[in-house]
Amino acid sequence: MATTRPRVLQYGKMPLPQLDAELAQAYAVTLLSEQPDPDRFLADHGAQFEYLVTSAAMGLPARVVDALPKLKFVSSFGVGFDALDKDALLRRGARVGYTPGVLDDCVADMAFALLLDATRGLSASDRFVRRGGWSQGRFGIHTRASGKRLGIFGMGRIGSTVARRAAGFDMDVAYHNRRPVEGSPHQYLPSLLELARWADILVITAAGGDGTRHLVNAEVLAALGPQGFLVNVARGSVVDEAALAEALQHQRIAGAGLDVFEDEPRPLPALLALDNVVLAPHIASGTHETRRAMADLVLRNLAQFIATGEPEAEVPWSAAQQTATAA
């Protein structure tokens, strides 16, 4: 006797095309983004779906959650969850899975790629050679990365991995979190401002969302100083992008490396004109190995929740809600 496959609403195409095919093979998938009128579809059919798949980049707005009265679980591709409407999901009582851990190495690698590029001027030197500048004169002198003070804002999984990379560059490491990390060998500084004053290079690996919005502001950038560098592989919302552009324009900081922006895929136009900032299109997790591991965890989270009611990896506020409900 044939079994009915669970119905899954897929919010949009996934970052890894193979995942689209694997979801369609395992479940009765409806792709919301391909509906002629998605809002009309939700109004007519939203009550048929208990499971939804999305990504950190696409997010999940409240209007979609509110149109799914039977929603039980969301499986999200990505480590960030600030674009998922927390209040709407908590009101609905839906659980949320995500993909932490499997992308730590690649994001930390990207942080160091941006760090080295920003300090040594690698992208700028590439442009210099390509436009024939080398035949006209010397490129100039830049900043050594090894031996510097590395400040990490957000000492979670990714921040800890960045700190391990720093050991190979003989760097001193300090960090700021909401609270000290138990067992961390690195110096804890109680404010972001103090960390910026201490650091030669400030790397952002903190979570996004309202709680961290624009915490890296003009005051923090001034504390980092004219010899300091900023690297952001977290969320664009953590940095006041206008203040950063102004600090770079007026050499209040030496340079920056950015993989994330406030309004993706539209970096602030002022940044595009500057030669002392390296810009990447949000590709920190964009390797074959990491995207495959993320896709596998999306599938496991969904399958495990359907089978047992418990995902393998659950966003902290979703897991906290479940614990409180059980208590």
Side-chain angles (χ1 to χ4, degrees):
M1 183 176 177
T3 57
T4 303
R5 293 185 301 166
R7 297 198 67 179
V8 171
L9 184 64
Q10 189 175 327
Y11 189 49
K13 290 281 191 181
M14 302 305 289
L16 189 72
Q18 298 97 305
L19 180 55
D20 293 321
E22 290 159 352
L23 286 164
Q25 184 176 15
Y27 304 102
V29 171
T30 298
L31 192 58
L32 183 61
S33 62
E34 290 190 346
Q35 302 307 309
D37 185 343
D39 289 333
R40 182 74 260 168
F41 177 85
L42 288 171
D44 292 342
H45 305 288
Q48 299 174 11
F49 296 94
E50 296 180 344
Y51 313 110
L52 182 143
V53 174
T54 186
S55 72
M58 291 187 289
L60 187 61
R63 63 176 179 79
V64 175
V65 177
D66 293 341
L68 302 171
K70 296 183 180 178
L71 183 65
K72 293 181 179 177
F73 183 68
V74 174
S75 188
S76 180
F77 182 106
V79 71
F81 41 82
D82 50 297
L84 306 173
D85 195 290
K86 175 181 176 180
D87 293 337
L89 287 161
L90 289 175
R91 283 196 306 271
R92 180 64 67 215
R95 310 272 294 279
V96 183
Y98 71 140
T99 62
V102 296
L103 46 67
D104 300 349
D105 283 317
C106 281
V107 176
D109 289 351
M110 187 66 180
F112 261 87
L114 289 169
L115 185 159
L116 290 169
D117 197 328
T119 55
R120 296 301 303 271
L122 298 181
S123 292
S125 70
D126 177 83
R127 294 189 292 270
F128 177 79
V129 171
R130 290 176 188 275
R131 66 175 178 258
W134 198 5
S135 63
Q136 307 300 316
R138 296 175 183 247
F139 175 61
I141 297 173
H142 284 68
T143 300
R144 184 180 74 176
S146 58
K148 291 294 190 291
R149 290 182 168 186
L150 183 70
I152 299 174
F153 175 34
M155 189 64 89
R157 292 185 181 93
I158 294 171
S160 297
T161 308
V162 170
R164 290 200 298 275
R165 301 285 187 279
F169 286 81
D170 299 320
M171 291 176 159
D172 290 330
V173 175
Y175 71 97
H176 172 67
N177 267 6
R178 282 174 294 181
R179 61 187 66 86
V181 176
E182 186 176 351
S184 173
H186 305 295
Q187 179 183 4
Y188 172 76
L189 293 175
S191 77
L192 180 55
L193 201 60
E194 289 178 68
L195 182 66
R197 288 195 190 102
W198 177 88
D200 299 308
I201 303 162
L202 180 62
V203 176
I204 304 169
T205 53
D210 292 340
T212 58
R213 180 172 176 76
H214 285 190
L215 285 185
V216 178
N217 55 21
E219 186 180 15
V220 169
L221 294 169
L224 186 57
Q227 305 303 316
F229 293 84
L230 179 76
V231 172
N232 190 4
V233 291
R235 283 291 181 266
S237 60
V238 181
V239 176
D240 182 336
E241 206 164 288
L244 174 60
E246 187 175 358
L248 289 164
Q249 285 171 333
H250 297 284
Q251 289 82 49
R252 296 192 186 108
I253 67 171
L258 308 175
D259 186 49
V260 290
F261 304 88
E262 285 198 68
D263 182 22
E264 296 180 1
R266 292 168 290 275
L268 200 66
L271 293 173
L272 304 180
L274 296 171
D275 217 31
N276 58 345
V277 58
V278 184
L279 310 174
H282 202 151
I283 56 170
S285 68
T287 65
H288 297 296
E289 299 86 350
T290 288
R291 291 290 170 88
R292 182 64 260 173
M294 292 168 71
D296 289 342
L297 188 46
V298 167
L299 293 167
R300 292 201 306 274
N301 275 333
L302 183 56
Q304 191 168 306
F305 184 86
I306 292 171
T308 70
E310 293 294 333
E312 181 175 326
E314 188 167 8
V315 302
W317 46 260
S318 177
Q321 177 205 37
Q322 174 65 12
T323 301
T325 303

